[in-house]
Amino acid sequence: MNTITLLQPDDWHAHLRDGLALERTVPDLAKQFSRAICMPNLVPPVKTVEEAEAYRSRIMAHVPEGIEFDPRMVLYFTDQTSPKEILKIKKSEHVNAIKLYPAGATTNSDNGVSDISKVYAVIEQLEKYQVPLLLHGEVTHNHVDIFDREKRFLDEVLSPLMKQFPGLKLVLEHITTSEAANFVLEHDRNVAATITPQHLLFNRNDMLVGGVKPHFYCLPILKRQTHQQTLLEVATSGNPKFFLGTDSAPHSKNAKENTCGCAGCYSAPTAIELYAQAFDQAGKIDRLEGFASHFGADFYGLPRNTSTITLVKEDQIIPESLDYLDGEKIVPLYAGKTIQWRKL
Ligand code: NCD
Ligand code: ZN
């Protein structure tokens, strides 16, 4: 198959940042996706429906002429989140979920939840109103190995949480392990997961063999190949519990190529082509549409898109770098490399 047409895809996990960064990130994402879950880990974070609406307006101001883009907003869960905010989410037109970052787990997560058992009053409301809880599923204790942090989160945090709130609707974001894939498979339709292009295309060897490659560094960190294999299997299986979430997370070239480099891969400009590459390599390009364009919308209870995009099997070279902020650069995921798919 050399050409495929699919319903316009959506990105259920993206970081657009704020201010000047939006000049780069919003056009890049809006050219690829019709809707995107816009992550709230700004400094300071987006904590209320009102703040989310204001952030959405700042995003909308950067959508290029002639492109339709519908940012879906998310609140940042803190120890102080009021249970009353959940009904506001339920009633709001643009806010769809709340994101829980364990404090200290990743970029801009210092205001995250310090202990999930302290916020059960809010989680009760999430279950009651069926507002999705989006999870950065890693524990943060210093003594837990970075490669084990996702699995430990499932065992120590998520399993007890699901016992307490069996009706909770949740998305395990950017899953990276077989254990996470199995956790999702073992639960009912209310438990879903997003998968990034980097976790489908790469494993920790790509990041660490032959020199440290900081542009593959993201959180949760790339795992061994067997996990990559399982993620490919579930993503291409046609199971609606797994859907597209790029976790495109911009950091300037300087911030990545640094003695203490930031976590995050910038995939927005060629995200759908990267996924096409992964699905095609697995011999499952026909499964891309469900993953990219149906299952996420269905999970969130939003209508599927109606327009289409076309991808052709044709080489394209990913740029070495792109302009970012005022005079800085950003290096996209797989920069300088050739992929076999191109979006028309
Ligand atoms: C994200 C970021 O930079 O905001 N980084 C990342 O490595 N994925 C945060 C996140 O989603 O963990
Ligand atoms: Zn993210």
Side-chain angles (χ1 to χ4, degrees), residues 92-316:
S92 108
E93 196 188 335
H94 300 125
V95 185
N96 286 95
I98 187 162
K99 173 76 181 278
L100 190 151
Y101 294 93
T106 186
T107 307
N108 303 338
S109 63
D110 298 349
N111 294 296
V113 170
S114 60
D115 176 353
I116 205 159
S117 63
K118 287 191 197 155
V119 294
Y120 274 9
V122 178
I123 295 181
E124 237 169 62
Q125 299 297 301
L126 292 172
E127 187 184 39
K128 175 172 171 194
Y129 293 113
Q130 291 292 286
V131 169
L133 173 64
L134 314 187
L135 290 166
H136 183 109
E138 290 191 289
V139 297
T140 55
H141 323 293
N142 261 333
H143 62 273
V144 180
D145 190 280
I146 187 168
F147 291 100
D148 299 335
R149 289 180 173 202
E150 185 172 273
K151 181 185 169 352
R152 292 282 290 266
F153 182 87
L154 302 173
D155 298 343
E156 292 163 23
V157 182
L158 197 49
S159 292
L161 186 74
M162 292 302 295
K163 284 208 182 79
Q164 186 93 11
F165 303 99
L168 195 61
K169 201 169 162 80
L170 65 92
V171 184
L172 205 44
E173 298 291 336
H174 41 52
I175 58 167
T176 64
T177 58
S178 308
E179 288 85 1
N182 289 333
F183 186 94
V184 172
L185 288 170
E186 282 158 13
H187 286 82
D188 67 14
R189 276 296 287 274
N190 265 356
V191 177
T194 55
I195 308 182
T196 76
Q198 62 267 26
H199 293 102
L200 293 176
L201 286 167
F202 309 112
N203 59 64
R204 62 195 195 182
N205 275 12
D206 296 292
M207 178 175 60
L208 296 171
V209 173
V212 177
K213 322 257 184 6
H215 297 290
F216 286 121
Y217 175 59
C218 67
L219 290 170
I221 198 159
L222 292 176
K223 305 295 191 301
R224 62 170 67 241
Q225 193 186 16
T226 49
H227 294 293
Q228 179 195 358
Q229 200 49 48
T230 308
L231 296 177
L232 266 172
E233 274 162 29
V234 295
T236 62
S237 68
N239 187 325
K241 291 153 76 76
F242 300 94
F243 48 82
L244 187 157
T246 61
D247 195 21
S248 178
H251 292 279
S252 70
K253 186 171 192 283
N254 287 336
K256 294 282 297 172
E257 296 174 9
N258 191 292
T259 46
C260 185
C262 292
C265 300
Y266 190 58
S267 58
T270 47
I272 193 67
E273 291 101 317
L274 289 162
Y275 281 109
Q277 178 88 9
F279 276 61
D280 194 21
Q281 277 169 13
K284 295 279 176 60
I285 192 73
D286 55 311
R287 292 278 165 81
L288 182 62
E289 186 177 32
F291 176 83
S293 317
H294 299 167
F295 305 153
D298 297 353
F299 179 87
Y300 277 96
L302 293 167
R304 292 183 184 177
N305 295 319
T306 48
S307 57
T308 58
I309 61 159
T310 298
L311 302 174
V312 281
K313 194 162 185 177
E314 203 173 274
D315 282 1
Q316 86 160 297

